[in-house]
């Protein structure tokens, strides 16, 4: 396994992942099946021998494309039936910061956003995650492998300056763990560190609205004492969990829509403007207002969340 450093570090585009290929929905022939088997065996050999590449953050493009996204794509396509809107607002090959609302009790919205941009915009999304993600042994390793990194200034700045598409959910756990009664009401966006990173890198901010995630695990209560004992920000009670045990962890099949709003330019500011707290606060508040408006409009456009009321 090789890890580039310094000047050798580069963006690994999806098209260079050894497993990248267009999805085919036709029944494969015998020759195609044999070719796929050969590719699978070659993939396994590379994994065993360590003959694969990761970038300086630990991102493994081949593993992400060939294994992880393949596992979660059925949720995207068949269970949530995700529909994307205004993909034209995503840059083709330059850096940008995708800022989205967060919800759903479990952060499946982050994974669905990653699939959407990978499959429909042809770009990997480098998500910025909370500290808790990187304190859990298995999850921390997997997050790094799939292109996620810690939500800190240094990592965000480096990714954006490399021309990566970076995703952030400024609501954090307050957003993903909000009660069902407060669905689609944005929580605070923190201190605006993501805006400062965008200004320093001179990249656009793409406000993004995700509708559908709020209904997959309707949170009606919280086991706060047990959550504190386990070191978790919350431990939800839903209509099906913990009543039905592991079966209650199956997400409800709500209809999802993801809309990418008009990019908000930051290249008109000097990099030093990132140190102006008032400017950062005002721009952060503007991004939040745009996303809230997109959410309101998208909810009306989608209508009811569950089948058969579509």
């Amino acid at each position: 396994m090789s890890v580039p450093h310094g000047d050798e570090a580069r963006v690994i585009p999806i098209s260079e992942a050894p497993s990248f290929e267009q999805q085919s929905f036709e029944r494969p022939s015998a020759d195609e099946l044999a070719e796929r088997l050969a590719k699978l065996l070659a993939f396994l050999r590379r994994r065993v021998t360590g003959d694969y590449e990761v970038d300086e953050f630990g991102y493994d493009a081949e593993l992400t494309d060939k294994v992880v996204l393949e596992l979660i794509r059925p949720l995207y396509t068949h269970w949530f039936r995700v529909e994307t809107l205004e993909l034209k607002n995503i840059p083709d090959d330059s850096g940008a910061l995708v800022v989205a609302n967060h919800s759903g009790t479990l952060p499946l919205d982050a994974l669905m956003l990653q699939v959407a941009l990978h499959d429909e915009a042809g770009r990997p999304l480098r998500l910025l995650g909370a500290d808790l993600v990187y304190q859990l042994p298995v999850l921390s390793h997997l997050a790094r492998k799939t292109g996620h990194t810690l939500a800190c200034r240094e990592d965000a700045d480096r990714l954006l300056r490399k021309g990566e598409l970076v995703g952030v959910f400024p609501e954090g756990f307050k957003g993903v763990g909000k009660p069902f009664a407060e669905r689609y009401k944005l929580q605070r966006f923190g201190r605006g560190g993501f805006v400062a990173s965008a200004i320093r890198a001179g990249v656009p901010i793409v406000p993004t609205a995700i509708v559908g995630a709020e209904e997959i695990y309707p949170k009606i209560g919280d086991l706060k004492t047990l959550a504190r004992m386990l070191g978790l920000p919350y431990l939800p009670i839903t209509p099906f969990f913990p009543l039905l045990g592991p079966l209650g962890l199956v997400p409800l099949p709500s209809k999802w829509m993801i809309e990418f709003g008009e990019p908000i330019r930051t290249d008109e500011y000097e990099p030093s403007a990132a140190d102006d707290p008032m400017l950062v606060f005002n721009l952060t508040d503007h991004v939040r207002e745009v996303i809230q408006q997109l959410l309101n409009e998208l909810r009306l456009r989608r209508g009811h969340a569950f089948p058969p009321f579509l």
Side-chain angles (χ1 to χ4, degrees), residues 264-298:
I264 299 171
R265 294 182 57 182
T266 65
D267 55 357
E268 59 190 23
Y269 304 108
E270 293 293 329
S272 59
D275 298 322
D276 183 344
M278 187 56 67
L279 172 65
V280 170
F281 174 80
N282 289 336
L283 194 52
T284 300
D285 196 49
H286 174 59
V287 173
R288 184 178 180 276
E289 289 177 356
V290 170
I291 295 176
Q292 185 65 71
Q293 183 177 357
L294 286 172
L295 282 172
N296 295 340
E297 294 173 354
L298 202 56

mmCIF file of all heavy atoms in Angstrom, residues 264-298:
data_model
loop_
_atom_site.group_PDB
_atom_site.id
_atom_site.type_symbol
_atom_site.label_atom_id
_atom_site.label_comp_id
_atom_site.label_asym_id
_atom_site.label_seq_id
_atom_site.Cartn_x
_atom_site.Cartn_y
_atom_site.Cartn_z
ATOM 1 N N ILE A 264 -22.759 29.984 -3.411
ATOM 2 C CA ILE A 264 -22.469 31.279 -2.792
ATOM 3 C C ILE A 264 -20.964 31.508 -2.922
ATOM 4 O O ILE A 264 -20.162 30.780 -2.345
ATOM 5 C CB ILE A 264 -22.897 31.290 -1.317
ATOM 6 C CG1 ILE A 264 -24.407 31.049 -1.214
ATOM 7 C CG2 ILE A 264 -22.516 32.610 -0.652
ATOM 8 C CD1 ILE A 264 -24.900 30.831 0.207
ATOM 9 N N ARG A 265 -20.573 32.512 -3.668
ATOM 10 C CA ARG A 265 -19.165 32.750 -3.953
ATOM 11 C C ARG A 265 -18.443 33.325 -2.738
ATOM 12 O O ARG A 265 -19.005 34.115 -1.968
ATOM 13 C CB ARG A 265 -19.019 33.695 -5.134
ATOM 14 C CG ARG A 265 -19.526 33.122 -6.453
ATOM 15 C CD ARG A 265 -19.316 34.099 -7.588
ATOM 16 N NE ARG A 265 -17.910 34.490 -7.736
ATOM 17 C CZ ARG A 265 -17.475 35.368 -8.642
ATOM 18 N NH1 ARG A 265 -18.345 35.937 -9.476
ATOM 19 N NH2 ARG A 265 -16.200 35.680 -8.713
ATOM 20 N N THR A 266 -17.198 32.930 -2.588
ATOM 21 C CA THR A 266 -16.354 33.487 -1.531
ATOM 22 C C THR A 266 -15.064 34.082 -2.084
ATOM 23 O O THR A 266 -14.292 34.685 -1.343
ATOM 24 C CB THR A 266 -15.980 32.409 -0.490
ATOM 25 O OG1 THR A 266 -15.168 31.413 -1.106
ATOM 26 C CG2 THR A 266 -17.224 31.764 0.096
ATOM 27 N N ASP A 267 -14.823 33.890 -3.387
ATOM 28 C CA ASP A 267 -13.565 34.361 -3.970
ATOM 29 C C ASP A 267 -13.495 35.881 -4.082
ATOM 30 O O ASP A 267 -12.447 36.433 -4.439
ATOM 31 C CB ASP A 267 -13.329 33.719 -5.334
ATOM 32 C CG ASP A 267 -14.481 33.937 -6.306
ATOM 33 O OD1 ASP A 267 -15.508 34.537 -5.907
ATOM 34 O OD2 ASP A 267 -14.367 33.502 -7.473
ATOM 35 N N GLU A 268 -14.594 36.566 -3.785
ATOM 36 C CA GLU A 268 -14.578 38.029 -3.797
ATOM 37 C C GLU A 268 -13.962 38.593 -2.513
ATOM 38 O O GLU A 268 -13.731 39.800 -2.412
ATOM 39 C CB GLU A 268 -15.994 38.567 -3.977
ATOM 40 C CG GLU A 268 -16.965 38.132 -2.900
ATOM 41 C CD GLU A 268 -18.398 38.477 -3.228
ATOM 42 O OE1 GLU A 268 -18.723 38.646 -4.418
ATOM 43 O OE2 GLU A 268 -19.201 38.579 -2.288
ATOM 44 N N TYR A 269 -13.714 37.737 -1.539
ATOM 45 C CA TYR A 269 -13.099 38.160 -0.291
ATOM 46 C C TYR A 269 -11.614 37.805 -0.291
ATOM 47 O O TYR A 269 -11.188 36.822 -0.894
ATOM 48 C CB TYR A 269 -13.766 37.472 0.912
ATOM 49 C CG TYR A 269 -15.254 37.676 1.011
ATOM 50 C CD1 TYR A 269 -16.129 36.622 0.735
ATOM 51 C CD2 TYR A 269 -15.792 38.905 1.380
ATOM 52 C CE1 TYR A 269 -17.503 36.792 0.834
ATOM 53 C CE2 TYR A 269 -17.169 39.083 1.480
ATOM 54 C CZ TYR A 269 -18.018 38.025 1.198
ATOM 55 O OH TYR A 269 -19.375 38.192 1.293
ATOM 56 N N GLU A 270 -10.844 38.593 0.409
ATOM 57 C CA GLU A 270 -9.445 38.251 0.640
ATOM 58 C C GLU A 270 -9.365 37.110 1.651
ATOM 59 O O GLU A 270 -10.225 37.009 2.529
ATOM 60 C CB GLU A 270 -8.680 39.462 1.173
ATOM 61 C CG GLU A 270 -8.541 40.604 0.181
ATOM 62 C CD GLU A 270 -7.654 40.219 -1.003
ATOM 63 O OE1 GLU A 270 -6.737 39.395 -0.809
ATOM 64 O OE2 GLU A 270 -7.891 40.736 -2.106
ATOM 65 N N PRO A 271 -8.358 36.234 1.553
ATOM 66 C CA PRO A 271 -8.230 35.150 2.533
ATOM 67 C C PRO A 271 -8.219 35.637 3.980
ATOM 68 O O PRO A 271 -8.716 34.954 4.881
ATOM 69 C CB PRO A 271 -6.909 34.488 2.149
ATOM 70 C CG PRO A 271 -6.754 34.775 0.690
ATOM 71 C CD PRO A 271 -7.336 36.141 0.497
ATOM 72 N N SER A 272 -7.690 36.832 4.199
ATOM 73 C CA SER A 272 -7.631 37.382 5.558
ATOM 74 C C SER A 272 -9.013 37.687 6.115
ATOM 75 O O SER A 272 -9.192 37.813 7.337
ATOM 76 C CB SER A 272 -6.777 38.650 5.570
ATOM 77 O OG SER A 272 -7.321 39.635 4.690
ATOM 78 N N ALA A 273 -10.026 37.784 5.230
ATOM 79 C CA ALA A 273 -11.387 38.058 5.692
ATOM 80 C C ALA A 273 -11.940 36.916 6.541
ATOM 81 O O ALA A 273 -12.910 37.098 7.276
ATOM 82 C CB ALA A 273 -12.305 38.307 4.492
ATOM 83 N N ALA A 274 -11.314 35.732 6.443
ATOM 84 C CA ALA A 274 -11.752 34.593 7.259
ATOM 85 C C ALA A 274 -11.548 34.861 8.741
ATOM 86 O O ALA A 274 -12.146 34.172 9.585
ATOM 87 C CB ALA A 274 -10.983 33.342 6.851
ATOM 88 N N ASP A 275 -10.726 35.865 9.075
ATOM 89 C CA ASP A 275 -10.484 36.200 10.483
ATOM 90 C C ASP A 275 -11.418 37.289 10.988
ATOM 91 O O ASP A 275 -11.299 37.708 12.148
ATOM 92 C CB ASP A 275 -9.025 36.655 10.656
ATOM 93 C CG ASP A 275 -8.039 35.554 10.297
ATOM 94 O OD1 ASP A 275 -8.335 34.380 10.623
ATOM 95 O OD2 ASP A 275 -6.990 35.866 9.694
ATOM 96 N N ASP A 276 -12.336 37.738 10.145
ATOM 97 C CA ASP A 276 -13.318 38.755 10.542
ATOM 98 C C ASP A 276 -14.553 38.045 11.098
ATOM 99 O O ASP A 276 -15.346 37.492 10.329
ATOM 100 C CB ASP A 276 -13.689 39.615 9.335
ATOM 101 C CG ASP A 276 -14.658 40.748 9.676
ATOM 102 O OD1 ASP A 276 -15.274 40.704 10.763
ATOM 103 O OD2 ASP A 276 -14.807 41.657 8.848
ATOM 104 N N PRO A 277 -14.747 38.022 12.418
ATOM 105 C CA PRO A 277 -15.857 37.253 12.996
ATOM 106 C C PRO A 277 -17.227 37.728 12.541
ATOM 107 O O PRO A 277 -18.147 36.917 12.376
ATOM 108 C CB PRO A 277 -15.666 37.427 14.507
ATOM 109 C CG PRO A 277 -14.824 38.647 14.658
ATOM 110 C CD PRO A 277 -13.953 38.694 13.454
ATOM 111 N N MET A 278 -17.395 39.029 12.332
ATOM 112 C CA MET A 278 -18.698 39.536 11.917
ATOM 113 C C MET A 278 -19.031 39.084 10.500
ATOM 114 O O MET A 278 -20.171 38.681 10.212
ATOM 115 C CB MET A 278 -18.731 41.063 12.004
ATOM 116 C CG MET A 278 -20.117 41.655 11.744
ATOM 117 S SD MET A 278 -21.396 40.975 12.841
ATOM 118 C CE MET A 278 -20.819 41.635 14.411
ATOM 119 N N LEU A 279 -18.061 39.147 9.595
ATOM 120 C CA LEU A 279 -18.285 38.689 8.224
ATOM 121 C C LEU A 279 -18.610 37.195 8.208
ATOM 122 O O LEU A 279 -19.547 36.772 7.522
ATOM 123 C CB LEU A 279 -17.038 38.964 7.378
ATOM 124 C CG LEU A 279 -17.056 38.368 5.962
ATOM 125 C CD1 LEU A 279 -18.158 39.001 5.123
ATOM 126 C CD2 LEU A 279 -15.703 38.553 5.284
ATOM 127 N N VAL A 280 -17.842 36.404 8.952
ATOM 128 C CA VAL A 280 -18.072 34.959 8.994
ATOM 129 C C VAL A 280 -19.455 34.661 9.565
ATOM 130 O O VAL A 280 -20.183 33.806 9.046
ATOM 131 C CB VAL A 280 -16.975 34.269 9.833
ATOM 132 C CG1 VAL A 280 -17.337 32.802 10.086
ATOM 133 C CG2 VAL A 280 -15.631 34.359 9.125
ATOM 134 N N PHE A 281 -19.843 35.366 10.623
ATOM 135 C CA PHE A 281 -21.161 35.151 11.229
ATOM 136 C C PHE A 281 -22.282 35.470 10.246
ATOM 137 O O PHE A 281 -23.244 34.705 10.103
ATOM 138 C CB PHE A 281 -21.314 36.008 12.484
ATOM 139 C CG PHE A 281 -22.689 35.961 13.086
ATOM 140 C CD1 PHE A 281 -23.083 34.894 13.892
ATOM 141 C CD2 PHE A 281 -23.613 36.975 12.823
ATOM 142 C CE1 PHE A 281 -24.363 34.849 14.431
ATOM 143 C CE2 PHE A 281 -24.894 36.932 13.362
ATOM 144 C CZ PHE A 281 -25.272 35.861 14.174
ATOM 145 N N ASN A 282 -22.168 36.620 9.553
ATOM 146 C CA ASN A 282 -23.219 37.027 8.615
ATOM 147 C C ASN A 282 -23.345 36.042 7.459
ATOM 148 O O ASN A 282 -24.454 35.710 7.025
ATOM 149 C CB ASN A 282 -22.932 38.427 8.084
ATOM 150 C CG ASN A 282 -23.142 39.503 9.134
ATOM 151 O OD1 ASN A 282 -23.890 39.307 10.101
ATOM 152 N ND2 ASN A 282 -22.480 40.642 8.969
ATOM 153 N N LEU A 283 -22.203 35.569 6.944
ATOM 154 C CA LEU A 283 -22.243 34.623 5.831
ATOM 155 C C LEU A 283 -22.778 33.265 6.292
ATOM 156 O O LEU A 283 -23.544 32.611 5.559
ATOM 157 C CB LEU A 283 -20.843 34.470 5.234
ATOM 158 C CG LEU A 283 -20.746 33.777 3.871
ATOM 159 C CD1 LEU A 283 -21.697 34.413 2.873
ATOM 160 C CD2 LEU A 283 -19.309 33.826 3.351
ATOM 161 N N THR A 284 -22.421 32.870 7.507
ATOM 162 C CA THR A 284 -22.951 31.625 8.068
ATOM 163 C C THR A 284 -24.459 31.700 8.204
ATOM 164 O O THR A 284 -25.186 30.760 7.852
ATOM 165 C CB THR A 284 -22.322 31.341 9.450
ATOM 166 O OG1 THR A 284 -20.914 31.227 9.319
ATOM 167 C CG2 THR A 284 -22.874 30.049 10.042
ATOM 168 N N ASP A 285 -24.940 32.823 8.712
ATOM 169 C CA ASP A 285 -26.383 33.011 8.884
ATOM 170 C C ASP A 285 -27.090 33.018 7.537
ATOM 171 O O ASP A 285 -28.201 32.478 7.395
ATOM 172 C CB ASP A 285 -26.637 34.318 9.627
ATOM 173 C CG ASP A 285 -28.054 34.394 10.193
ATOM 174 O OD1 ASP A 285 -28.483 33.420 10.851
ATOM 175 O OD2 ASP A 285 -28.732 35.425 9.984
ATOM 176 N N HIS A 286 -26.443 33.588 6.520
ATOM 177 C CA HIS A 286 -27.038 33.615 5.181
ATOM 178 C C HIS A 286 -27.154 32.199 4.612
ATOM 179 O O HIS A 286 -28.195 31.832 4.034
ATOM 180 C CB HIS A 286 -26.185 34.479 4.258
ATOM 181 C CG HIS A 286 -26.629 34.470 2.832
ATOM 182 N ND1 HIS A 286 -27.889 34.874 2.426
ATOM 183 C CD2 HIS A 286 -25.982 34.074 1.685
ATOM 184 C CE1 HIS A 286 -28.009 34.745 1.115
ATOM 185 N NE2 HIS A 286 -26.866 34.253 0.650
ATOM 186 N N VAL A 287 -26.104 31.398 4.782
ATOM 187 C CA VAL A 287 -26.144 30.016 4.308
ATOM 188 C C VAL A 287 -27.266 29.253 4.994
ATOM 189 O O VAL A 287 -28.018 28.503 4.361
ATOM 190 C CB VAL A 287 -24.789 29.322 4.551
ATOM 191 C CG1 VAL A 287 -24.879 27.833 4.214
ATOM 192 C CG2 VAL A 287 -23.695 29.972 3.725
ATOM 193 N N ARG A 288 -27.422 29.457 6.289
ATOM 194 C CA ARG A 288 -28.473 28.778 7.050
ATOM 195 C C ARG A 288 -29.859 29.169 6.545
ATOM 196 O O ARG A 288 -30.736 28.329 6.379
ATOM 197 C CB ARG A 288 -28.339 29.123 8.535
ATOM 198 C CG ARG A 288 -29.321 28.383 9.440
ATOM 199 C CD ARG A 288 -29.090 28.758 10.899
ATOM 200 N NE ARG A 288 -30.005 28.062 11.776
ATOM 201 C CZ ARG A 288 -31.241 28.457 12.046
ATOM 202 N NH1 ARG A 288 -31.709 29.569 11.471
ATOM 203 N NH2 ARG A 288 -32.017 27.761 12.846
ATOM 204 N N GLU A 289 -30.060 30.453 6.281
ATOM 205 C CA GLU A 289 -31.362 30.920 5.782
ATOM 206 C C GLU A 289 -31.669 30.327 4.407
ATOM 207 O O GLU A 289 -32.820 29.953 4.123
ATOM 208 C CB GLU A 289 -31.367 32.447 5.708
ATOM 209 C CG GLU A 289 -31.398 33.128 7.073
ATOM 210 C CD GLU A 289 -31.332 34.639 6.946
ATOM 211 O OE1 GLU A 289 -31.184 35.134 5.800
ATOM 212 O OE2 GLU A 289 -31.433 35.322 7.977
ATOM 213 N N VAL A 290 -30.656 30.241 3.551
ATOM 214 C CA VAL A 290 -30.860 29.676 2.209
ATOM 215 C C VAL A 290 -31.269 28.207 2.307
ATOM 216 O O VAL A 290 -32.200 27.752 1.621
ATOM 217 C CB VAL A 290 -29.591 29.828 1.354
ATOM 218 C CG1 VAL A 290 -29.727 29.035 0.057
ATOM 219 C CG2 VAL A 290 -29.325 31.294 1.045
ATOM 220 N N ILE A 291 -30.583 27.444 3.166
ATOM 221 C CA ILE A 291 -30.915 26.026 3.317
ATOM 222 C C ILE A 291 -32.316 25.856 3.888
ATOM 223 O O ILE A 291 -33.074 24.980 3.447
ATOM 224 C CB ILE A 291 -29.871 25.320 4.197
ATOM 225 C CG1 ILE A 291 -28.508 25.330 3.516
ATOM 226 C CG2 ILE A 291 -30.289 23.876 4.481
ATOM 227 C CD1 ILE A 291 -27.387 24.740 4.358
ATOM 228 N N GLN A 292 -32.693 26.693 4.869
ATOM 229 C CA GLN A 292 -34.037 26.595 5.438
ATOM 230 C C GLN A 292 -35.103 26.876 4.379
ATOM 231 O O GLN A 292 -36.133 26.186 4.317
ATOM 232 C CB GLN A 292 -34.190 27.573 6.595
ATOM 233 C CG GLN A 292 -35.522 27.468 7.339
ATOM 234 C CD GLN A 292 -35.703 26.146 8.043
ATOM 235 O OE1 GLN A 292 -35.041 25.878 9.039
ATOM 236 N NE2 GLN A 292 -36.598 25.303 7.532
ATOM 237 N N GLN A 293 -34.848 27.857 3.528
ATOM 238 C CA GLN A 293 -35.797 28.156 2.456
ATOM 239 C C GLN A 293 -35.891 27.001 1.463
ATOM 240 O O GLN A 293 -36.984 26.630 1.021
ATOM 241 C CB GLN A 293 -35.381 29.439 1.734
ATOM 242 C CG GLN A 293 -36.369 29.861 0.639
ATOM 243 C CD GLN A 293 -35.973 31.173 -0.020
ATOM 244 O OE1 GLN A 293 -34.992 31.813 0.374
ATOM 245 N NE2 GLN A 293 -36.712 31.581 -1.042
ATOM 246 N N LEU A 294 -34.736 26.418 1.117
ATOM 247 C CA LEU A 294 -34.745 25.262 0.224
ATOM 248 C C LEU A 294 -35.533 24.100 0.833
ATOM 249 O O LEU A 294 -36.289 23.419 0.130
ATOM 250 C CB LEU A 294 -33.305 24.809 -0.060
ATOM 251 C CG LEU A 294 -32.463 25.672 -1.003
ATOM 252 C CD1 LEU A 294 -31.022 25.179 -1.016
ATOM 253 C CD2 LEU A 294 -33.042 25.665 -2.412
ATOM 254 N N LEU A 295 -35.356 23.876 2.119
ATOM 255 C CA LEU A 295 -36.083 22.804 2.796
ATOM 256 C C LEU A 295 -37.587 23.019 2.729
ATOM 257 O O LEU A 295 -38.353 22.090 2.438
ATOM 258 C CB LEU A 295 -35.645 22.716 4.263
ATOM 259 C CG LEU A 295 -34.320 22.030 4.557
ATOM 260 C CD1 LEU A 295 -33.962 22.210 6.036
ATOM 261 C CD2 LEU A 295 -34.386 20.555 4.212
ATOM 262 N N ASN A 296 -38.002 24.239 3.005
ATOM 263 C CA ASN A 296 -39.443 24.537 2.988
ATOM 264 C C ASN A 296 -40.041 24.307 1.606
ATOM 265 O O ASN A 296 -41.125 23.724 1.469
ATOM 266 C CB ASN A 296 -39.676 25.982 3.427
ATOM 267 C CG ASN A 296 -39.263 26.234 4.871
ATOM 268 O OD1 ASN A 296 -39.149 25.301 5.670
ATOM 269 N ND2 ASN A 296 -39.019 27.489 5.212
ATOM 270 N N GLU A 297 -39.331 24.748 0.591
ATOM 271 C CA GLU A 297 -39.830 24.596 -0.780
ATOM 272 C C GLU A 297 -39.805 23.134 -1.207
ATOM 273 O O GLU A 297 -40.731 22.659 -1.881
ATOM 274 C CB GLU A 297 -38.989 25.443 -1.730
ATOM 275 C CG GLU A 297 -39.121 26.944 -1.490
ATOM 276 C CD GLU A 297 -38.148 27.755 -2.329
ATOM 277 O OE1 GLU A 297 -37.291 27.127 -3.009
ATOM 278 O OE2 GLU A 297 -38.223 29.000 -2.300
ATOM 279 N N LEU A 298 -38.761 22.423 -0.811
ATOM 280 C CA LEU A 298 -38.622 21.029 -1.226
ATOM 281 C C LEU A 298 -39.663 20.141 -0.550
ATOM 282 O O LEU A 298 -40.158 19.184 -1.159
ATOM 283 C CB LEU A 298 -37.204 20.546 -0.895
ATOM 284 C CG LEU A 298 -36.671 19.335 -1.684
ATOM 285 C CD1 LEU A 298 -36.725 19.612 -3.174
ATOM 286 C CD2 LEU A 298 -35.245 19.018 -1.254
#
